[in-house]
Amino acid sequence: MFTAEHGIRPGWAKLGENIGRMSAEDLVRRKHSIERALYRMGITFNLNGEGGELERILPFDIIPRIIQAREWESLEQGLRQRALALNLFLEDIYNDQKILRDGVIPRAIIESSKGYLKQCANLRPPRGVWSHISGTDLIRNTDGHFYVLEDNMRCPSGVSYVLENRESMKRTFADMFNRIGVRPVYDYPMRLLETLRYMSDLESPSVAVLTPGVYNSAYFEHSFLARQMGVPLVEGKDLAIIDGYVQMRTTRGFQRVDVIYRRIDDTFLDPAAFNPDSMLGVRGLFEAYLKGRVALCNAPGTGVADDKVVYAYVPRIVKYYLGEEAIIPNVPTYICEDESDRKYVLDNIDQLVVKAANEAGGYGMLIGPHSSRAECEDFRQRVIQNPRNYIAQPTLSLSRAPTLVEDQIEGRHVDLRPFLLYGQEIYVMPGGLTRVALKRGSLVVNSSQGGGSKDTWVLRE
């Protein structure tokens, strides 16, 4: 909300005027009304806790985050640049491997990544695009600039909450939307369907969303997107490979599926090609994909770009493929595999954020300044035993946004996950999912660890 010079950012002033006309009781009443509506509509996620699996709504804050038009324009350019470069990177490492031969990124880093799938060598995905749907996590530091915190090129979640948050806010603050001028996001499902259909050469391809099932934490999102696009939601057991093509079981017999938006991790897609113990995928699916008889979104193998060690090389990847400096910089990152970086990390671990290369959801992470001596020592040993698996970053003070806490407005740390679609062109949804750390002083915004969400308003002008 405030600039590095402690002034109020343009755009927030209009919101402040409108919010200021409401009493605390009115804000709380509207917030509770939205939360009840979200629960009634089944907009929930599953949380595994000590008491077993819990179904709950993602905590929602009624005060939106504001991003000015000019600021968003720069972010949009940076996100397009990053998506383009990472797709060129994926195409290269699974085919010509020029970037590895030129020593821009060590071959050992790629080949030791859990997300790198040897089965995808020489793969050419439809239309030459590997990651059609991505989400890039951004933070704003105290210097006022945005930085990329991590990339999500495999199965990014959260867009359904963006859409439902927006609808709830429009119902609750209809007048405010008109007065302030907020860019819409409602057309995302239509654009997603266009992106999926673009992957096929057929004039009218059939599309389905593949989910692990009702026990997956993001099941609501899978069913929501399928419903919004008007396409079937299927599990692995609903599909079969017949005569080399993917067929879906229906009450009228088998029907062919041409494009699958898969929300299953790479190695669970097909027990014949990847994890033989997978009960979620479809036997023979990968072979059908290799023969061009079905399109998968995103392509298998994209998980290597989610590796947090690979992330550290993305500015070099952008420079290598596009000849440009990254428009949105990375958070400065120490690569523990590197001897000098590792020594610095081990000597200063109580001041750093240490992350495992392939963990998500805030797990496998140490926030040194907020951790005990024993916890720091535990991570020191983890880094020593497996340096390839860790990176470290300085503890940045995430920006804060006004948040309704009980009946008071207080500052809470936030990040931002914009969503991109890469089809005939690259589309960046204006805004994205603002995640908020609801505990005072906390830097962990993940929903699985007590975080919530806000609507993100990108202003027209």
Side-chain angles (χ1 to χ4, degrees), residues 11 15 17 35 67 80 114 195 203 219 230 245 264 266 268 291 301 310 324 328 334 351 364 397 407 427 430 459:
L15 179 68
E17 289 172 12
E35 288 175 342
I67 299 179
R80 288 176 193 273
K114 290 182 181 178
T195 301
E203 184 175 346
Y219 180 75
Y245 290 89
I264 292 178
D266 292 357
F268 288 88
K291 292 180 176 176
V310 174
E324 304 168 356
I328 311 175
Y334 300 96
Q351 300 299 316
S397 181
D407 60 352
Y427 163 76
L459 304 187

Side-chain angles (χ1 to χ4, degrees), residues 356-405:
N358 292 287
E359 296 285 349
Y363 296 103
M365 182 171 76
L366 173 85
I367 302 178
H370 296 180
S371 301
S372 67
R373 185 175 297 180
E375 289 168 330
C376 290
E377 181 57 27
D378 175 45
F379 265 75
R380 283 187 87 258
Q381 294 305 317
R382 296 190 197 190
V383 170
I384 291 170
Q385 291 168 14
N386 186 8
R388 160 63 181 85
N389 198 43
Y390 290 93
I391 62 164
Q393 297 169 329
T395 309
L396 300 185
S397 181
L398 279 60
S399 61
R400 297 189 304 167
T403 301
L404 186 63
V405 181

Side-chain angles (χ1 to χ4, degrees), residues 102-124:
D102 289 341
V104 177
I105 180 169
R107 179 179 295 275
I109 293 292
I110 299 301
E111 294 183 347
S112 63
S113 173
K114 290 182 181 178
Y116 180 74
L117 302 181
K118 293 178 180 176
Q119 297 91 330
C120 295
N122 302 314
L123 175 64
R124 301 284 185 182

Side-chain angles (χ1 to χ4, degrees), residues 37-62:
L38 293 175
Y39 198 83
R40 279 199 304 272
M41 289 187 288
I43 304 168
T44 59
F45 72 100
N46 294 329
L47 178 67
N48 293 318
E50 293 179 358
E53 192 170 85
L54 304 172
E55 185 179 17
R56 47 172 279 187
I57 63 168
L58 181 65
F60 176 71
D61 183 60
I62 199 169

